[in-house]
Amino acid sequence: MIPRIRNLVICCAVLLAAWLWLGVKPAAAHAVPTASKPAANEILETGPETLEMSFSEPVVPAFSSIQVLSAAGQPLETGPLTPISNDNTRVQIALPPLNNGSYIVSWKVLSAVDGHSTSGIFPFGVGVGHMDMSAAGPGQVVTNAPRPTPASLVARWFNLAGAALLLGLFAFRLLLWNPILNVDDLTDAEIELDHRFARRSLRLGLVAAGLLFLAALSTLISQSSQYDLLAAGNFGVWLNTRFGLMWLLRLLAGLALALLLWRLLAGVNRAPLAPLSPALRGGKWWLGLLLSLAVAATIALVSHSAALLRGAGAAIAVDFAHVAAAGIWIGGLFSLGIALWQARRLPADIKAWLYLNAILNFSVLAAAAVGVILTSGAYLSYQHVGSWGALASTAYGRVLLLKIGLALIPFAIAAINLFWVKPRLQRIYDQPAEPAALLIRRRFRALVAVEAAFAVLILIAAGLLTDMQRAQDAPLISAGSAQTVLTQQVEDLTVTLTLEPALVGENTFDVYLADEDGQPVTDAREILLRFTFLGQSLGTAEAFAEGMGDGHYHLNSSTISLLGPWQVEVAIRRAGQFDVFAPFRLEAGLDSRIAAQGIGGDTIDKLVSFLTRARGLAPGVALVLFALLWGILANKAADKDWQLAALLSISLLSFYIGAQQLFQFSQDYTPAMFASNPIAPDA
């Protein structure tokens, strides 16, 4: 009977993976505007009858709003928000007759994919000759990313913690513990330990199911604080979104797991103390593992990966593998800690045998899980961070770095267990009562406890990441606005260039021309600004500045939107004279501040600049080194040939991708890749 149930679980897992891969419709990370009619800052001759907005992913019309305000801040009476596309990515409102003037559009929408709210503003005008561009740049909509709320953070952390504990409980029992005790000559002490460990782990499982219930309640509180879900019909509309549906499925899976765990605990309590007890090895345990994987799937289906425009199915499958592997590893640590604690009073010879087998089996399980975590994590980081600058200068990127730093500690402890504790446990197997053996086993328990403690911190960081705007879409953590002033003497002109707020993105560029006596030069026919990014060859952007009188010329531009070195060249054209060119070198730093090149910047800025220019060099070297180190670790962790082959597949994959990156770098490399001309061009 048990093999049949095991096969059923495997088939269901394969079908679940196929559904994750093929059955998911792409969207984008948080619902942000992609277009609007009227467009941001558009000047219309006559007032439009409707206002349309398109978003990067489906929105929930019942919980979304678009409001139009007059220049005095008075809300206009508009029609209801209605969808105009089948997938709810395009919506519109009917407008009243509009008089000449400026208007501000204020919008707020709820994503149907990840349950996040986004909001923002943009201006447009009717019959006006000039608009205030301070709210948004030309054609640009200001979007406010949602801030994580305490209830939302608690919900996401409880979801991850509950899923991890449940996955670890069932995977540890089925894949590690039962194979260790799958012998007929168990002693009474080992049989009693088996039952005692089952009771403790099942009680922990009930706590994990309780965390899933509290997560569902916290999610409901978080969403109800923004939308009246208790109002008639609102709750049903919310459940029809993907986020609401996954919330419901996760709640039902949690309730089913709680009932299953309760029945398993009752069965263990009633079962006689006999070897290979069916109460500890029945098909219900495999059902519990399947339900735990279903909980992990509901988490992946509302993750950042579920909101990608391209390749969402593959990204969700990788995200699911990441959540499942992390759960098996972290939850397995807790189960291992409980087992070692319950075994502390066993006779020395039985304890030595149990500890040795536990570390042998857990080494393979943990190594496989960590390998999946590392490879899937690298892929997800590439998808959701995208650049070295975003990793170092966005909130998402910095929390990810914190998570990686926290993970390095338990990974290092696992390496100590593998390379130091495991060989010593093998050597002292024949002298289990020696003081050295007792000390090693005590240290092993302590290391597992520390590893589990850091795993909790990793879960907290992961919960925060899932509730933050991903780095590819998030604004930089920037310094305060300021003004950058640069002056240059070129031939008979003094050219002054000012930038404000001198931050990456939309800036005001003001050019002031003066002669040798300091008097304004007013005979310039054209002032052209050329923007060139010096970090890599991207071409040059040009824009004409508008004359404001008295040698003052003005331009709004968002061209400087990349971190790194820039050149802004001011070309001055006067009637009857040669053109004058004034090149200014600027540096956009990680704090998004734009300053004169050579002013500001630190080691981190230089490192990020180097990594950006190197492109695939750093990832390629890292992947090849990881492949070699993982091969050594796999050889140490594996106890059987098939285990070694499975673990080495991670090395082969990493080596292949790393070699590709290095080969591409060798093709792209030129001596100028890591250098730019430090001398600005002269006339």
Side-chain angles (χ1 to χ4, degrees), residues 105-123:
V105 178
S106 173
W107 55 270
K108 181 179 180 181
V109 297
L110 173 68
S111 165
V113 176
D114 57 18
H116 284 126
S117 296
T118 47
S119 60
I121 60 172
F122 67 89

Side-chain angles (χ1 to χ4, degrees), residues 60 63 110-112 115 216 219-220 223 227 229 233-245 247-248:
V60 186
F63 301 134
L110 173 68
S111 165
T219 299
L220 206 57
Q223 294 283 294
Y227 310 100
L229 297 186
N234 281 2
F235 188 68
V237 172
W238 183 72
L239 285 180
N240 279 328
T241 67
R242 184 193 294 178
F243 184 78
L245 178 60
W247 173 87
L248 179 61

Side-chain angles (χ1 to χ4, degrees), residues 376-435:
S376 60
Y379 173 84
L380 294 173
S381 297
Y382 170 77
Q383 288 286 354
H384 303 313
V385 178
S387 69
W388 296 106
L391 180 64
S393 56
T394 63
Y396 183 97
R398 292 183 181 181
V399 173
L400 178 60
L401 287 174
L402 173 63
K403 179 186 171 186
I404 293 171
L406 290 171
L408 290 177
I409 297 173
F411 289 168
I413 293 174
I416 292 172
N417 286 333
L418 187 62
F419 288 94
W420 188 84
V421 176
K422 179 181 175 181
R424 281 159 179 78
L425 285 175
Q426 289 174 320
R427 282 201 295 269
I428 65 172
Y429 181 71
D430 294 328
Q431 299 90 28
E434 293 295 322

Side-chain angles (χ1 to χ4, degrees), residues 30 114-116 148 150-162 215-216 218-219 222-223 243 250 299 302-304 459-460 462-468:
H30 292 58
D114 57 18
H116 284 126
S152 178
L153 287 173
V154 167
R156 293 177 186 271
W157 185 77
F158 279 2
N159 276 327
L160 291 172
S218 298
T219 299
S222 175
Q223 294 283 294
F243 184 78
R250 189 160 51 248
I299 294 173
V302 291
S303 64
H304 290 304
L459 283 177
I460 293 174
L464 182 58
L465 279 177
T466 60
D467 210 24
M468 298 176 70

Side-chain angles (χ1 to χ4, degrees), residues 25-370:
K25 189 174 181 179
H30 292 58
V32 295
T34 56
S36 68
K37 292 182 182 180
N41 295 300
E42 184 177 1
I43 308 298
L44 305 172
E45 293 183 3
T46 59
E49 296 181 355
T50 61
L51 186 145
E52 298 180 12
M53 291 191 69
S54 299
F55 293 90
S56 58
E57 63 181 78
V59 300
V60 186
F63 301 134
S64 304
S65 63
I66 298 177
Q67 192 176 41
V68 181
L69 297 90
S70 66
Q74 183 69 27
L76 306 183
E77 291 189 8
T78 62
L81 185 145
T82 56
I84 54 176
S85 65
N86 293 332
D87 59 359
N88 285 359
T89 56
R90 294 176 59 216
V91 295
Q92 73 172 15
I93 58 171
L95 297 175
L98 300 181
N99 299 321
N100 288 352
S102 299
Y103 297 90
I104 290 288
V105 178
S106 173
W107 55 270
K108 181 179 180 181
V109 297
L110 173 68
S111 165
V113 176
D114 57 18
H116 284 126
S117 296
T118 47
S119 60
I121 60 172
F122 67 89
F124 74 93
V126 178
V128 294
H130 173 72
M131 291 196 61
D132 180 11
M133 298 296 187
S134 60
Q140 185 179 21
V141 179
V142 176
T143 302
N144 301 317
R147 290 175 177 263
T149 63
S152 178
L153 287 173
V154 167
R156 293 177 186 271
W157 185 77
F158 279 2
N159 276 327
L160 291 172
L165 291 174
L166 289 165
L167 282 165
L169 185 160
F170 290 107
F172 188 90
R173 162 64 65 174
L174 294 168
L175 305 178
L176 190 149
W177 189 256
N178 284 348
I180 290 176
L181 299 183
N182 191 26
V183 292
D184 295 325
D185 57 345
L186 291 176
T187 65
D188 291 341
E190 291 167 331
I191 295 171
E192 184 181 354
L193 170 65
D194 194 13
H195 283 68
R196 193 166 63 246
F197 170 61
R199 285 193 291 270
R200 296 293 189 278
S201 60
L202 288 171
R203 286 168 186 162
L204 180 62
L206 287 171
V207 172
L211 290 178
L212 293 180
F213 176 77
L214 291 176
L217 183 61
S218 298
T219 299
L220 206 57
I221 292 172
S222 175
Q223 294 283 294
S224 295
S225 66
Q226 303 178 67
Y227 310 100
D228 187 8
L229 297 186
L230 300 180
N234 281 2
F235 188 68
V237 172
W238 183 72
L239 285 180
N240 279 328
T241 67
R242 184 193 294 178
F243 184 78
L245 178 60
M246 291 303 110
W247 173 87
L248 179 61
L249 291 177
R250 189 160 51 248
L251 176 61
L252 293 176
L255 293 174
L257 279 162
L259 178 61
L260 178 64
L261 289 163
W262 186 267
R263 295 193 63 177
L264 283 170
L265 182 58
V268 173
N269 288 331
R270 290 195 304 266
L273 293 178
L276 306 179
S277 173
L280 305 178
R281 288 158 179 79
K284 292 178 182 177
W285 291 87
W286 288 99
L287 178 60
L289 180 60
L290 180 61
L291 288 172
S292 302
L293 289 171
V295 170
T298 63
I299 294 173
L301 281 164
V302 291
S303 64
H304 290 304
S305 298
L308 292 176
L309 283 171
R310 300 181 186 87
I316 290 174
V318 173
D319 212 309
F320 168 70
H322 190 76
V323 173
I328 290 172
W329 171 58
I330 294 174
L333 280 173
F334 280 86
S335 293
L336 178 62
I338 293 173
L340 296 178
W341 180 255
Q342 293 298 315
R344 70 191 185 282
R345 294 193 178 93
L346 288 176
D349 56 338
I350 297 178
K351 193 189 302 183
W353 170 81
L354 181 68
Y355 273 52
L356 180 58
N357 279 275
I359 196 171
L360 288 173
N361 284 269
F362 191 74
S363 295
V364 178
L365 182 65
V370 169

